[in-house]
Amino acid sequence: MWIIKSKCIIYLQIAKKTQFKKNNENNTKKIKQSIENKRATQLIARNAEKERIEAEKQRIEAEKEAENIILRAKENAKQLQITAVENSKKFISRQEEQIKQKIKAAEKQALLDVKNLVVDLSVEATKEYLIKEIDEKHSNKLVLDSSKTLNKSI
C-alpha cells in the first residue's frame, strides 16, 4: 500500500508538473502573443504618426501654395486694374482729341458758311442796289470801268 501511495503521489506530481508545464507553455504563448500584438500596435502607431506628420507637411505646403496663388492673383488683379486705368485714360484722351478736332472742323465750316452767306448777301444786296439805283447810262459806264480795271489786272 505504501508503494501504491508512493506511485499515486509520483503520478500526481508528474501530472502536476505536466499540467504546470502546459500552463507555463500556454502562459508563455500568451505572453509572446501579447508582446507581438503590442509590437504590432506600436508599429501601426509609429506608421500612423509618420503618416500624420507627412500629411501635416503636405497641408502646410498646400497652405503656402494657396497663399502664393492668392498673392499672385492679387498682383495680377492690381496690374490689370493699372492697365485698365491707363487704357481708359488713353481712350479718353483720344476721344477728347477727336472731339476737339470735330469742334475745330465745325468752327471752320461755320466760318466758311458765314463767309459764303455774307458773300451771297452782299452780292444780292449789290444786285438789288444796282437794279434800283443805276440807270442804263450809268450801267454802261460801270461796265467799261470794270473792263478797264480788269484789263489792267491781267
Side-chain angles (χ1 to χ4, degrees):
M1 200 131 145
W2 181 81
I3 295 180
I4 293 177
K5 277 188 180 183
S6 299
K7 282 185 179 181
C8 278
I9 291 176
I10 292 174
Y11 283 123
L12 281 176
Q13 285 184 349
I14 291 174
K16 279 184 182 180
K17 282 185 180 181
T18 304
Q19 185 62 36
F20 178 76
K21 191 175 180 182
K22 282 183 183 177
N23 286 342
N24 197 17
E25 287 175 2
N26 284 340
N27 286 340
T28 302
K29 284 181 185 178
K30 286 180 184 178
I31 291 170
K32 284 182 181 180
Q33 184 65 38
S34 176
I35 290 171
E36 282 183 31
N37 287 344
K38 189 169 186 175
R39 284 182 185 160
T41 303
Q42 288 174 343
L43 180 62
I44 290 170
R46 279 193 299 263
N47 287 341
E49 182 64 15
K50 285 179 185 177
E51 288 181 19
R52 186 196 64 78
I53 290 170
E54 184 61 30
E56 181 67 17
K57 286 179 185 177
Q58 290 175 355
R59 183 191 63 81
I60 291 170
E61 287 177 18
E63 285 178 355
K64 286 180 182 178
E65 182 63 25
E67 288 173 4
N68 287 337
I69 289 171
I70 290 170
L71 182 63
R72 286 192 307 260
K74 285 180 180 179
E75 289 172 359
N76 287 342
K78 190 174 185 179
Q79 188 59 41
L80 287 173
Q81 184 179 16
I82 290 169
T83 303
V85 168
E86 289 174 356
N87 288 342
S88 295
K89 286 179 180 179
K90 289 177 184 176
F91 176 76
I92 290 170
S93 294
R94 284 193 305 271
Q95 291 292 322
E96 286 177 347
E97 189 59 36
Q98 289 175 354
I99 289 170
K100 287 177 184 177
Q101 289 174 357
K102 286 180 181 180
I103 290 171
K104 284 181 182 180
E107 287 174 346
K108 285 181 181 179
Q109 186 61 45
L111 285 174
L112 185 61
D113 290 347
V114 168
K115 285 179 183 179
N116 287 337
L117 184 60
V118 168
V119 168
D120 290 344
L121 288 175
S122 296
V123 168
E124 188 65 31
T126 304
K127 182 178 169 183
E128 285 181 26
Y129 173 77
L130 290 175
I131 290 172
K132 286 182 184 178
E133 300 296 326
I134 298 182
D135 58 3
E136 195 172 313
K137 179 180 173 188
H138 197 57
S139 176
N140 288 337
K141 184 181 179 221
L142 282 176
V143 170
L144 285 174
D145 288 343
S146 294
S147 294
K148 288 178 187 176
T149 307
L150 188 60
N151 285 335
K152 286 180 187 176
S153 298
I154 298 178

